[in-house]
């Protein structure tokens, strides 16, 4: 079965890949994704310099999901830019994603100027949705700031770029964010990031599960799939067709991947479950998605992408 997908004229052999932040922080992680059937990799969101992140414990697994407040630990932009440049020299026909998450507008612009001036020919994923930097509100929930950042970015950035968004929970917010995004030559929109500021408790210890922010952190896993699908569908119905959608959130099996594509996703990212299972998940998901497509007589994902039915 053909599991390939195309975004902005770039064809990926497989419509599944990792989500930023999960098993993608160093060379070893990234080389494992390269060696797997995943169609691409995205690097851990980068800040201009190396960053320690929040105190531990900062991530807790749960049945079917997880909570994290990592606090953007990463090796700094140069590390990831160096990795992707070396990789694209070895595999010039492949497109991968470089995630950028400055904690200030200046940091984002500084990093994007560096990437613009480099030989990088992949996609930048500009993360506007990190929920775990203490004292910093999620940019994605401040529509004026999203607009301002995109105006400044597209004033100079000419390479393919997409944004990683937080989940929205109000249809009017879908209207508002889509109106802003449609003003810009975005290559893609990736929806969703973890559901911010959830709280997980250990009832035996009568204590929160993670240390940062009094235990508040981003929620991932099967419980966020309905929110993820709603955001993918809500944006797919509102964004101009030139903007592709990457679907992220709640993917545990092939059916979940199928549902994201039905909602309009051209690429599906796996976070929490990839964290549990490692890169062998891409073989399992490919097998499961292929079986679903074969059973339904679909030859490629184009046969069903965005074709979710409603009752009316
Ligand atoms: C980039 C920081 C993020 C983090 C983090 O490093 O805490 N966790 C998430 O669930 N999503 C993020 O976007």
């Amino acid at each position: 079965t053909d599991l390939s997908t195309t975004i902005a004229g770039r064809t990926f052999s497989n419509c599944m890949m990792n989500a930023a932040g999960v098993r993608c922080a160093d060379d070893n992680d990234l080389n494992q994704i390269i060696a797997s059937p995943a169609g691409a990799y995205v690097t851990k969101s980068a800040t201009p310099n190396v960053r320690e992140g929040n105190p531990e414990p900062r991530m807790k697994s749960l049945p079917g999901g997880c909570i994290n407040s990592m606090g953007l630990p990463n090796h700094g932009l140069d590390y990831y830019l160096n990795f992707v440049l070396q990789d694209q020299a070895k595999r010039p026909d492949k497109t991968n994603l470089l995630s950028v998450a400055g904690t200030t507008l200046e940091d984002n612009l500084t990093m994007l100027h560096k990437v613009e001036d480099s030989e990088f020919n992949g996609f930048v994923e500009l993360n506007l949705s990190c929920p775990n930097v203490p004292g910093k509100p999620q940019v994605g929930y401040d529509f004026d700031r999203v607009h301002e950042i995109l105006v400044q970015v597209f004033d100079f950035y000419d390479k393919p770029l997409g944004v990683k968004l937080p989940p929205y929970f109000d249809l009017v917010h879908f209207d508002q964010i889509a109106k802003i995004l449609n003003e810009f030559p975005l290559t893609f929109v990736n929806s969703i990031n973890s559901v911010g500021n959830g709280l997980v408790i250990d009832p035996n210890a009568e204590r929160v599960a993670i240390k940062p922010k009094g235990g508040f952190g981003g929620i991932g896993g099967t419980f966020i799939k309905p929110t993820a699908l709603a955001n993918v569908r809500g944006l797919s119905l509102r964004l101009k067709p030139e903007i592709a959608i990457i679907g992220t959130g709640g993917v545990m099996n092939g059916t979940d991947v199928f549902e994201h594509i039905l909602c309009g996703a051209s690429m599906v990212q796996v976070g929490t479950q990839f964290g549990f299972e490692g890169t062998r998940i891409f073989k399992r998901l490919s097998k499961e998605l292929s079986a679903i497509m074969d059973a339904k007589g679909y030859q490629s994902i184009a046969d069903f992408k965005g074709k979710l039915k409603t009752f009316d």
Side-chain angles (χ1 to χ4, degrees):
T1 319
D2 175 12
L3 299 183
S4 70
T5 189
T6 300
I7 295 177
R10 313 284 185 90
T11 295
F12 301 84
S13 59
N14 189 299
C15 58
M16 291 169 274
M17 62 181 286
N18 72 297
V22 182
R23 293 180 184 253
C24 59
D26 62 37
D27 292 12
N28 176 49
D29 286 340
L30 293 165
N31 284 322
Q32 286 193 46
I33 300 173
I34 289 170
S36 81
Y41 59 78
V42 57
T43 55
K44 167 66 186 174
S45 293
T47 45
N49 305 306
V50 175
R51 187 181 158 95
E52 191 83 351
N54 290 338
E56 297 181 334
R58 58 194 187 184
M59 189 276 203
K60 178 91 171 66
S61 301
L62 309 161
C66 71
I67 183 169
N68 92 83
S69 185
M70 309 301 285
L72 247 180
N74 73 96
H75 292 304
L77 177 67
D78 294 345
Y79 179 97
Y80 300 106
L81 186 52
N82 180 51
F83 181 89
V84 297
L85 289 174
Q86 283 190 355
D87 180 36
Q88 82 182 21
K90 281 181 237 163
R91 308 182 310 146
D93 58 322
K94 299 290 183 186
T95 295
N96 290 289
L97 282 63
L98 176 69
S99 177
V100 161
T103 54
T104 64
L105 171 60
E106 291 67 31
D107 278 0
N108 276 318
L109 297 176
T110 306
M111 289 192 280
L112 290 175
H113 271 293
K114 185 176 273 191
V115 179
E116 174 69 13
D117 297 344
S118 77
E119 299 297 305
F120 178 59
N121 67 14
F123 296 171
V124 155
E125 183 172 282
L126 178 58
N127 186 347
L128 302 178
S129 45
C130 181
N132 302 320
V133 178
K136 283 280 177 184
Q138 286 214 51
V139 174
Y141 289 145
D142 181 335
F143 295 127
D144 293 339
R145 278 186 72 198
V146 172
H147 189 266
E148 183 51 29
I149 287 181
L150 293 178
V151 165
Q152 301 224 20
V153 165
F154 284 108
D155 186 44
F156 68 92
Y157 198 78
D158 289 330
K159 297 175 178 177
L161 178 138
V163 290
K164 177 77 173 283
L165 296 177
Y168 299 102
F169 301 92
D170 186 310
L171 299 188
V172 169
H173 293 165
F174 289 149
D175 296 336
Q176 290 170 335
I177 192 64
K179 186 168 175 296
I180 294 169
L181 298 170
N182 280 330
E183 287 179 38
F184 299 96
L186 285 158
T187 295
F188 67 88
V189 166
N190 183 347
S191 173
I192 62 175
N193 204 318
S194 53
V195 173
N197 295 301
L199 185 64
V200 169
I201 290 169
D202 172 348
N204 304 320
E206 300 174 23
R207 195 206 55 222
V208 299
I210 57 173
K211 181 169 180 176
K213 291 173 54 177
F216 287 68
I219 304 295
T222 189
F223 355 91
I224 74 166
K225 189 177 79 171
T227 296
L229 294 178
N231 277 261
V232 171
R233 173 73 168 166
L235 290 170
S236 174
L237 292 172
R238 291 168 174 79
L239 292 176
K240 58 189 179 185
E242 307 91 282
I243 302 179
I245 294 172
I246 296 180
T248 306
V251 174
M252 321 297 276
N253 57 46
T255 302
D256 301 328
V257 179
F258 181 75
E259 291 175 7
H260 266 277
I261 297 170
L262 263 186
C263 290
S266 294
M267 172 70 81
V268 178
Q269 293 187 347
V270 192
T272 299
Q273 191 57 26
F274 169 49
F276 296 156
E277 225 170 295
T279 54
R280 62 186 157 85
I281 194 171
F282 294 112
K283 186 163 189 259
R284 173 172 72 84
L285 293 177
S286 298
K287 206 161 120 269
E288 291 171 357
L289 178 59
S290 298
I292 292 165
M293 289 170 66
D294 290 348
K296 291 166 173 283
Y298 293 137
Q299 258 71 45
S300 76
I301 70 168
D303 290 344
F304 61 99
K305 183 171 83 170
K307 297 187 176 169
L308 177 68
K309 298 173 198 154
T310 55
F311 282 97
D312 25 62

